[in-house]
Amino acid sequence: PIPCVPWQSQTSGQYNAEYMDRPPPSSLRPKSPLSLFKDKNSRFPDLKNMEEAQKMYTFAKEIVEKHNTKFIAEGKEAITVEELDEKVLKKAALYSSMELSGFTAYLGGVVAQEIVKFTGKYMPLRQWLHLDCFPLIDDQVIIRKMKKEEIDFQLDRETFEVKEAEEKSDVENGWVCDAINDQVVSREKKDKKEIYDTEMGKEEIKFQFRKPRDDKLGSEPSRYESQIAILGREAHKRLQEWNTFCVGAGALGCEYLKQMALMGIGCADSGKVHVTDMDRIEVSNLNRQFLFRKKDVGTQKSTTAGKAVAAMNPDFSVQSYEVKVCPETEDTFNAAFWDKLDVVVNALDNVKARQYVDRQCVWYEKPLMESGTLGTKANAQVILPHKTESYSDSVDPEEDSIPMCTLRNFPNAIEHCIEWARAEFSDLFSTGAQEVNTYLADTEKFLAELANDSAKEQVEKLAALVDWIKAAQNPSIAECIKIAFNQFHAKFRDKILDLTECFPADARVTDKDSGEDVGPFWSGMRRFPSPISYSAEDAMGVDYVYNAANLYAFGLGLDPVKDRQKIVDISKELKAADWKPKQKDSGGDKKFEQKDEYDPVDDEEALNARAEELKKELSSLPACKPLAIAEFEKDDDTNFHIDFITACSNLRATNYTIENAARHKVKMIAGKIIPALATTTAMITGLVGIELYKLALGLDNLEAYRNAYCNLGVAQVLNQVEPTPPKRAVEGLDPETFMPIKPVPEGFTSWNKIEIKAEGKNLTIGEFNKLLAEKHFGVECNLIGKYGVTKAEIEAGKGMIWTENLGLKKEIQDEMKALLDKPLMDRWKDFYGEPTRDYVVLDIGCETPDGDDAKIPKVKYIYK
């Protein structure tokens, strides 16, 4: 049954009513009227039985009166209630015998977690927990009290239907009256007429109305009986006809798909549920992703999940994909795909993917249900076009970080090693490869900016550039193995020897004020490390070279080498250079003043000399083609990413005598994965299911929807709040230029966009600027850029398609002036290649007709 406790204490329970301005009713111990009705009749009130709902309301008033008089007079503990909420009690009575999948999933998650708490983990509830969703049935119990002369509508004596309601009336034509002055209108005509004649002549009249719904149940039983009884057939039909996109088929995705099947989403001929996930099922998934069985291990999640829910509901229509949702797959999830969707449900585990789906939903103006879990914690966000802020409009607080000194030099836990290895991956194959491309695009600018770095950073960056560009002259797997081999010794031998040279095993720490000895340097959280040299007989070292070599091969555009023995054989022929001490006094300083962070002392003179050598070597190398950037992807087991980080982490751990980690643990930590709990997942997907019902009903008032913040590990389980309206552009200072800027139009949001059509013409930049002014408040364009341009594109000189700026050099101004006569799309193709769609999205800088700096929504330029 719908969990609805009409009476409860503010002090002993949690009240999470949909209408937060409705005060929580006082507690009536030991049971609520609804529970007492069930005890007396062995059932809840019959579905939409007004007589029984009225009896329960009357019964509740009698109990309150008894407490307010007899209990107080006898000195017993009494609960005083100023006024009963008649609508709440009657709604609860009318629908308490029904079930909705969202409520049952929520209750299942909460109750299951309470059972877990019996073991002593987490704080139990020991109180009431209240959840209702009256917006689903608000229009089924509408109370109006008025004097006889204030009645501004006609009531049909036969049907009790409202007619001829005046324009100013808050009663609408078509409403049906179910009771007058608590006299329930029965189905028999004589009762209706008698009630009408008796009650309508009174001076003060209380009407109880409802909006008609096609919600009568048929003679044949149906799996959707409760849903139809509560929502009506129109909303149920809308659910069945929805085209829904479920992004992800993991812990959240499995629960969402199951719930969609139970709700009948996508079960009509015109409806369908689309689900995509790149992952394959692992044994560790089986304890919380309940659509999968042991026989499914190794198969694709999306396909297996789709088959499982189709077995639950034979009418369920599902299309499974094994494709990542990202800019690179917009040929699969194209404009036609997004246009036909009715709602999107996110079941993702990383912010980057969530932001991309959010941007697509904003662009195509689609409702999005966003949710996430973190152990016992969970949240859900309702995102509605033009009514709420988008996911990307709000910024999550940054996670706690590990001190850099600990990561660089003094790890003491495997998590430190994994974090360091994840940074190594980025430095070598993402940022490092991108810096090569930046250097190739504008060498002079790159070297000028490099001069701002420390001498040590300059040497590291220049050495990486030399390695990459030398290897790119004649790319081969042998060259990749050589770089990986040298990196192995640089990271796990040389850096460790540099550290222990600076801080010997017998080093001491002195008090910074008194100079007194306070103990050994290598103590507490600092572990004395040992260097590692490469051996082809050591599996861990081979793992590093094998995976690093293949990642270097990826950057150089080579095919991966899966023959591990081939890489081992080549590595056996390599010889590491000898390590060279850096300190002139080989004995080293053995006393160090106490402080928070320690770093080895660098020889600035030697580093500067080395930087000059590398620059000279770099200048002698011919340019090469741009490198491929390895964007970290934890879920692709064939891309060497997690395998590299695993080998790198464990080698680092071995340096510091830290217990090694299994690959799956490395994947979880490097990918920032916290295993989902089945209880939390069920609870949050249930709450999202309730929001989907509201959407199907067509509720368009923001107050009806709820974002949720939950924590099953504490007594305060649930907090629900109204979604935040979208952020509106206001006049103020530009965050980049700090100059005044005006929004045009005032108050636009991220949901807005300007549409410019070429109408078959190949518009020049000048013609485009003129058309934009005609279409949008006369704004004068002074900059055209790609909307969503990346940092890499900016660094490669592809940040602006065209600009008009008197502060630029004269030759650039002349170039830009000449571009006014060049077709805009030709210029686009010079920068970004052939578009995959018939439109591009532009970011425009402009001024108002009065010459003020202006900001406008993104521009959709339909060039075909």
Side-chain angles (χ1 to χ4, degrees):
I2 299 177
C4 179
V5 185
W7 272 314
Q8 66 159 84
S9 168
Q10 284 181 271
T11 57
S12 65
Q14 297 179 40
Y15 191 80
N16 292 288
E18 286 291 340
Y19 291 116
M20 301 307 289
D21 60 347
R22 185 175 73 237
S26 296
S27 174
L28 182 67
R29 297 179 178 90
K31 299 177 180 179
S32 73
L34 197 59
S35 298
L36 291 172
F37 184 100
K38 186 175 186 295
D39 289 346
K40 185 176 181 180
N41 300 279
S42 299
R43 62 175 175 82
F44 286 108
D46 285 340
L47 172 66
K48 289 180 285 190
N49 186 317
M50 272 305 307
E51 286 87 353
E52 292 194 345
Q54 186 63 45
K55 285 179 182 177
M56 199 186 86
Y57 174 57
T58 303
F59 176 52
K61 289 197 295 183
E62 291 172 356
I63 296 175
V64 169
E65 181 62 25
K66 187 176 180 180
H67 271 256
N68 287 346
T69 56
K70 184 179 179 180
F71 276 39
I72 293 176
E74 295 176 356
K76 296 180 180 179
E77 182 182 2
I79 302 300
T80 57
V81 179
E82 292 182 3
E83 182 181 2
L84 283 176
D85 193 327
E86 180 179 355
K87 290 183 290 184
V88 169
L89 287 164
K90 288 186 174 179
K91 289 172 192 174
L94 290 171
Y95 293 94
S96 59
S97 61
M98 295 291 98
E99 295 180 353
L100 283 180
S101 62
F103 276 107
T104 53
Y106 170 80
L107 276 181
V110 172
V111 172
Q113 188 66 40
E114 289 304 303
I115 294 171
V116 172
K117 290 177 181 178
F118 186 75
T119 64
K121 191 173 180 67
Y122 305 120
M123 178 67 69
L125 272 174
R126 304 189 189 283
Q127 57 182 338
W128 285 102
L129 173 65
H130 178 104
L131 175 72
D132 67 48
C133 186
F134 290 126
L136 297 180
I137 52 173
D138 268 344
D139 59 4
Q140 299 303 289
V141 180
I142 305 169
I143 307 293
R144 294 287 186 270
K145 295 179 181 180
M146 54 187 69
K147 294 181 179 179
K148 183 178 179 180
E149 62 270 17
E150 294 174 344
I151 297 175
D152 49 8
F153 58 87
Q154 296 294 321
L155 200 62
D156 189 288
R157 295 179 77 248
E158 297 287 333
T159 63
F160 270 56
E161 182 179 328
V162 174
K163 294 182 177 179
E164 300 179 26
E166 296 180 10
E167 186 175 346
K168 62 180 176 60
S169 176
D170 63 351
V171 176
E172 299 178 14
N173 287 325
W175 285 9
V176 176
C177 182
D178 285 328
I180 304 178
N181 290 334
D182 294 335
Q183 297 297 309
V184 177
V185 178
S186 71
R187 295 181 178 84
E188 298 179 13
K189 291 184 178 179
K190 64 176 183 178
D191 290 337
K192 289 184 178 181
K193 291 179 181 179
E194 183 180 335
I195 292 172
Y196 185 94
D197 294 338
T198 303
E199 303 300 328
M200 289 297 288
K202 295 182 177 180
E203 290 302 315
E204 291 189 357
I205 305 173
K206 180 177 74 174
F207 296 95
Q208 181 178 323
F209 299 105
R210 62 178 166 84
K211 288 186 178 181
R213 287 184 181 176
D214 183 9
D215 54 6
K216 291 184 179 179
L217 303 180
S219 57
E220 294 296 322
S222 165
R223 69 189 304 161
Y224 305 117
E225 280 184 352
S226 291
Q227 192 163 286
I228 292 170
I230 294 171
L231 305 178
R233 294 186 183 277
E234 183 180 345
H236 174 66
K237 182 172 179 284
R238 192 174 294 124
L239 283 169
Q240 292 190 306
E241 293 176 345
W242 267 356
N243 274 278
T244 307
F245 190 19
C246 182
V247 190
L252 283 168
C254 281
E255 289 298 313
Y256 279 131
L257 289 170
K258 179 188 72 176
Q259 192 166 154
M260 289 176 192
L262 295 174
M263 294 168 70
I265 293 177
C267 288
D269 291 341
S270 58
K272 189 179 287 291
V273 172
H274 303 263
V275 57
T276 188
D277 198 302
M278 290 177 62
D279 282 5
R280 291 185 176 272
I281 299 166
E282 300 176 3
V283 173
S284 61
N285 299 147
L286 302 183
N287 71 341
R288 62 189 180 277
Q289 298 176 20
F290 296 142
L291 295 182
F292 308 139
R293 300 292 180 265
K294 193 170 183 180
K295 63 181 176 60
D296 300 322
V297 172
T299 61
Q300 284 286 347
K301 285 186 176 181
S302 58
T303 305
T304 307
K307 291 177 181 177
V309 289
M312 294 179 182
N313 187 342
D315 296 328
F316 189 70
S317 178
V318 59
Q319 173 69 52
S320 299
Y321 304 82
E322 299 167 10
V323 181
K324 184 178 180 180
V325 184
C326 61
E328 291 74 28
T329 60
E330 289 183 2
D331 54 339
T332 300
F333 303 119
N334 53 27
F337 174 85
W338 287 96
D339 282 336
K340 71 182 179 184
L341 294 177
D342 295 293
V343 64
V344 179
V345 178
N346 260 355
L348 292 162
D349 61 0
N350 67 89
V351 172
K352 186 177 179 182
R354 285 186 175 112
Q355 289 175 334
Y356 174 76
V357 174
D358 176 68
R359 288 197 301 271
Q360 294 297 90
C361 288
V362 169
W363 180 255
Y364 292 100
E365 300 182 19
K366 301 298 179 182
L368 171 64
M369 298 294 166
E370 174 59 62
S371 59
T373 65
L374 194 71
T376 59
K377 300 176 184 178
N379 72 285
Q381 182 181 359
V382 180
I383 298 166
L384 303 176
H386 300 285
K387 293 183 180 297
T388 71
E389 67 177 7
S390 71
Y391 174 81
S392 302
D393 283 342
S394 57
V395 180
D396 291 333
E398 293 190 14
E399 301 173 6
D400 294 337
S401 58
I402 303 168
M404 285 306 299
C405 178
T406 301
L407 287 180
R408 281 195 306 265
N409 302 316
F410 307 112
N412 55 70
I414 190 62
E415 289 78 8
H416 302 159
C417 301
I418 295 170
E419 190 76 17
W420 178 84
R422 174 67 181 85
E424 277 291 296
F425 173 89
S426 180
D427 290 344
L428 293 175
F429 309 113
S430 298
T431 308
Q434 180 56 57
E435 286 186 337
V436 174
N437 294 345
T438 305
Y439 169 81
L440 295 171
D442 192 336
T443 301
E444 184 179 340
K445 181 181 177 183
F446 177 88
L447 293 175
E449 292 178 352
L450 185 70
N452 297 323
D453 294 339
S454 67
K456 183 177 180 180
E457 290 174 325
Q458 289 187 46
V459 168
E460 289 174 350
K461 289 182 179 181
L462 289 167
L465 284 174
V466 169
D467 284 343
W468 275 112
I469 297 176
K470 282 175 72 174
Q473 303 305 312
N474 187 20
S476 68
I477 192 63
E479 193 63 29
C480 295
I481 295 169
K482 180 181 177 182
I483 303 175
F485 179 85
N486 290 336
Q487 280 293 332
F488 179 97
H489 288 92
K491 304 299 182 185
F492 307 111
R493 187 196 66 176
D494 298 351
K495 277 190 176 293
I496 299 301
L497 290 171
D498 290 344
L499 184 66
T500 55
E501 179 193 28
C502 184
F503 305 110
D506 57 352
R508 309 289 295 179
V509 177
T510 60
D511 185 271
K512 64 179 180 180
D513 296 322
S514 66
E516 294 180 4
D517 185 281
V518 295
F521 179 88
W522 295 102
S523 61
M525 304 301 285
R526 287 194 287 271
R527 295 168 175 246
F528 186 76
S530 302
I532 303 173
S533 293
Y534 177 80
S535 169
E537 308 304 319
D538 177 46
M540 198 185 302
V542 172
D543 282 346
Y544 178 91
V545 172
Y546 171 78
N547 290 293
N550 273 297
L551 286 167
Y552 279 114
F554 172 82
L556 296 171
L558 300 174
D559 292 331
V561 175
K562 300 295 181 71
D563 185 349
R564 186 182 178 92
Q565 190 57 46
K566 179 179 179 180
I567 290 180
V568 170
D569 292 341
I570 295 174
S571 69
K572 286 180 178 178
E573 304 299 320
L574 300 174
K575 187 177 186 312
D578 293 334
W579 172 75
K580 296 179 180 178
K582 293 186 176 180
Q583 295 190 8
K584 296 174 183 178
D585 178 7
S586 59
D589 190 353
K590 295 186 179 182
K591 290 188 177 182
F592 299 92
E593 186 180 278
Q594 193 174 31
K595 57 183 180 179
D596 293 332
E597 293 191 3
Y598 296 91
D599 277 309
V601 178
D602 294 318
D603 186 338
E604 291 290 325
E605 187 178 335
L607 286 172
N608 287 326
R610 178 60 180 152
E612 291 304 316
E613 290 176 12
L614 289 168
K615 287 179 185 177
K616 187 175 180 181
E617 184 177 3
L618 196 58
S619 64
S620 68
L621 293 173
C624 63
K625 67 178 183 179
L627 303 180
I629 312 299
E631 296 288 349
F632 176 64
E633 173 52 67
K634 66 179 174 23
D635 295 321
D636 183 354
D637 290 339
T638 66
N639 64 8
F640 306 100
H641 295 188
I642 291 297
D643 293 311
F644 169 82
I645 294 172
T646 300
C648 196
S649 302
N650 286 333
L651 285 165
R652 177 78 163 174
T654 302
N655 280 141
Y656 286 86
T657 324
I658 297 169
E659 186 177 352
N660 287 186
R663 183 183 187 278
H664 74 270
K665 181 174 182 178
V666 174
K667 179 179 179 179
M668 289 171 60
I669 296 173
K672 300 189 183 301
I673 303 169
I674 295 179
L677 297 179
T679 51
T680 312
T681 306
M683 176 187 65
I684 201 65
T685 54
L687 292 173
V688 170
I690 294 171
E691 301 306 309
L692 288 172
Y693 282 131
K694 297 175 186 177
L695 196 63
L697 267 176
L699 302 182
D700 58 0
N701 54 317
L702 192 60
E703 296 81 6
Y705 294 89
R706 286 291 176 267
N707 291 343
Y709 304 91
C710 320
N711 189 347
L712 284 176
V714 298
Q716 181 65 36
V717 170
L718 174 64
N719 180 32
Q720 290 183 300
V721 298
E722 184 181 316
T724 306
K727 293 181 180 178
R728 299 192 174 277
V730 296
E731 187 172 346
L733 294 180
D734 187 299
E736 294 182 2
T737 64
F738 296 100
M739 298 294 289
I741 191 166
K742 292 184 176 180
V744 180
E746 180 79 25
F748 73 82
T749 73
S750 60
W751 294 97
N752 296 111
K753 56 179 175 283
I754 303 165
E755 195 169 277
I756 301 293
K757 297 181 179 179
E759 305 288 359
K761 300 177 183 178
N762 191 12
L763 296 180
T764 65
I765 291 175
E767 290 170 334
F768 171 84
N769 292 346
K770 184 178 179 181
L771 186 57
L772 176 64
E774 293 173 1
K775 296 282 187 180
H776 197 72
F777 303 98
V779 295
E780 298 177 6
C781 179
N782 54 34
L783 184 148
I784 302 175
K786 174 186 174 184
Y787 186 79
V789 65
T790 65
K791 181 180 178 182
E793 287 169 334
I794 294 173
E795 290 177 346
K798 299 177 181 179
M800 293 185 297
I801 295 172
W802 172 85
T803 186
E804 183 180 68
N805 187 337
L806 297 177
L808 297 174
K809 295 179 181 179
K810 186 177 184 304
E811 54 267 28
I812 297 178
Q813 290 187 47
D814 292 341
E815 179 189 352
M816 292 296 155
K817 188 174 182 180
L819 284 173
L820 288 170
D821 296 323
K822 181 171 182 172
L824 174 56
M825 289 311 300
D826 287 359
R827 179 69 168 169
W828 174 283
K829 292 170 189 176
D830 291 343
F831 276 29
Y832 309 113
E834 190 71 34
T836 57
R837 300 170 292 200
D838 62 357
Y839 66 88
V840 294
V841 188
L842 302 174
D843 194 4
I844 302 295
C846 57
E847 294 180 350
T848 67
D850 297 331
D852 297 317
D853 286 341
K855 55 182 175 182
I856 63 175
K858 51 190 173 289
V859 174
K860 178 181 181 181
Y861 175 45
I862 304 173
Y863 64 91
K864 285 187 179 179

